Amino acid sequence: MNSPQVSDDPLDDSTLASLGTEARRDAIVGFVGSFGPTRVETLADRFAVSKMTVHRDLDLLANEGRIVRVRGGARAVPAEILERDVSLRRVSQAPQKRALAETAMTLVGDSDVIALDDSSTVGAMVDLFEPDSRIVVITHSLAVIKTIAVDFPDITLVGLGGQYYPETESFLGAFSSGVAATLRANTVFVSTTALRGGVLCHPDAEAATTKRALIGLAERKVLLVDSTKFTASGLYQVASLDEFDDVVIEADLAPEHREELARFPDLTVHEAPVR
């Protein structure tokens, strides 16, 4: 296993020195995801902690499903596994997802009809709803349905139904897509596994079909996309970027990824500061 080159690591020495335990573990996940399989010694040097501390961090992160333990270090969880396991998706890139969700919420009007897909990024928006919100929510995500039903009784909730997939905690397939075709919304919010060459893709055919149907039911289409999506892969096409009106990105998104978005001049870009 090769040790990564760390010259492009966005964390400087002063930032690393001030990281608490949880922040350090989040940073380790990001580091391994960016640079590939990484040795314990490299992480200990980079984060200015002992090798024993790194071993504890990696053991905990592996138990949470956020990295994969290998001999002498760790590697990232494969994207296809991450996308199919909702429990892993919820803890992956959590600060980035929260930031994207906060910015996306500024695009929701007081009495809008909105559609939310089953991605964990879009799902983070639900935690930001106002207690007395009067919006209408259309979704195929059981997680979103359960949260709204319990915590937001004033929201009108429309579930798409269909065949339930426990690994994504959502309803997918032809029935869900058929119900979506009968509905209309002001705005739809979606995310997906991969964005390559201006095309959104997903590793699962049923999920891709359902996302396409959801996109089609709204007048305004909003994509939430963090930096990991630009290097991931997916077999099934969901939509092209030119079908979207807005995209929500991290404020520190790399220039090469911004260039990809710039090829679509009609796309309004909203930047989300990650804290």
Side-chain angles (χ1 to χ4, degrees), residues 19-25 28 39-41 43-45 47-62 67 69:
L19 291 179
T21 300
E22 292 303 318
R24 182 183 67 249
R25 289 169 179 166
I28 287 173
R39 297 193 64 82
V40 167
E41 293 83 357
L43 294 171
D45 289 344
F47 292 93
V49 294
S50 70
K51 288 189 287 185
M52 185 62 69
T53 296
V54 172
H55 277 293
R56 286 196 296 266
D57 287 347
L58 296 183
D59 288 343
L60 183 142
L61 292 170
I67 54 97
R69 269 299 231 150

Side-chain angles (χ1 to χ4, degrees), residues 5-274:
Q5 300 297 315
V6 298
S7 58
D8 295 327
D9 190 344
L11 294 174
D12 59 28
D13 290 339
S14 61
T15 302
L16 289 167
S18 64
L19 291 179
T21 300
E22 292 303 318
R24 182 183 67 249
R25 289 169 179 166
D26 288 340
I28 287 173
V29 174
F31 187 92
V32 173
S34 296
F35 294 101
T38 308
R39 297 193 64 82
V40 167
E41 293 83 357
T42 300
L43 294 171
D45 289 344
R46 188 59 188 153
F47 292 93
V49 294
S50 70
K51 288 189 287 185
M52 185 62 69
T53 296
V54 172
H55 277 293
R56 286 196 296 266
D57 287 347
L58 296 183
D59 288 343
L60 183 142
L61 292 170
N63 287 337
E64 291 179 347
R66 299 176 66 187
I67 54 97
V68 176
R69 269 299 231 150
V70 296
R71 183 178 178 84
R75 62 177 173 83
V77 178
E80 60 272 18
I81 294 176
L82 183 63
E83 190 61 36
R84 291 191 175 102
D85 191 322
V86 68
S87 64
L88 298 185
R89 286 191 285 127
R90 285 177 183 151
V91 298
S92 175
Q93 299 288 107
Q96 290 83 353
K97 290 174 181 178
R98 173 78 180 193
L100 296 178
E102 289 175 347
T103 300
M105 283 300 300
T106 66
L107 307 179
V108 179
D110 292 338
S111 58
D112 276 358
V113 178
I114 66 172
L116 306 178
D117 77 354
D118 63 343
S119 66
S120 55
T121 305
V122 170
M125 293 174 62
V126 180
D127 294 332
L128 305 172
F129 287 166
E130 295 294 334
D132 58 350
S133 178
R134 298 282 180 174
I135 61 175
V136 177
V137 175
I138 301 167
T139 187
H140 62 115
S141 167
L142 181 60
V144 170
I145 290 171
K146 290 192 294 187
T147 299
I148 292 176
V150 173
D151 297 335
F152 303 98
D154 291 329
I155 289 179
T156 300
L157 181 60
V158 180
L160 297 185
Q163 184 172 345
Y164 178 65
Y165 289 76
E167 60 271 25
T168 59
E169 204 171 332
S170 61
F171 301 92
L172 304 172
F175 186 89
S176 305
S177 299
V179 175
T182 69
L183 302 170
R184 294 299 296 166
N186 300 108
T187 308
V188 59
F189 296 88
V190 302
S191 186
T192 191
T193 304
L195 175 58
R196 291 288 190 91
V199 177
L200 281 69
C201 296
H202 198 282
D204 183 85
E206 295 293 313
T209 297
T210 309
K211 285 178 185 285
R212 281 197 296 269
L214 203 69
I215 292 168
L217 67 82
E219 301 166 10
R220 184 179 188 181
K221 307 174 198 320
V222 181
L223 173 66
L224 283 65
V225 56
D226 66 64
S227 58
T228 66
K229 310 303 183 185
F230 291 85
T231 55
S233 60
L235 178 61
Y236 300 97
Q237 181 171 322
V238 175
S240 171
L241 262 183
D242 59 13
E243 298 177 45
F244 287 84
D245 303 286
D246 305 82
V247 60
V248 183
I249 63 171
E250 297 155 282
D252 59 353
L253 188 68
E256 62 269 25
H257 301 328
R258 290 178 178 273
E259 290 174 7
E260 183 170 349
L261 299 176
R263 295 195 296 108
F264 300 85
D266 295 332
L267 193 63
T268 300
V269 177
H270 306 268
E271 297 191 3
V274 180

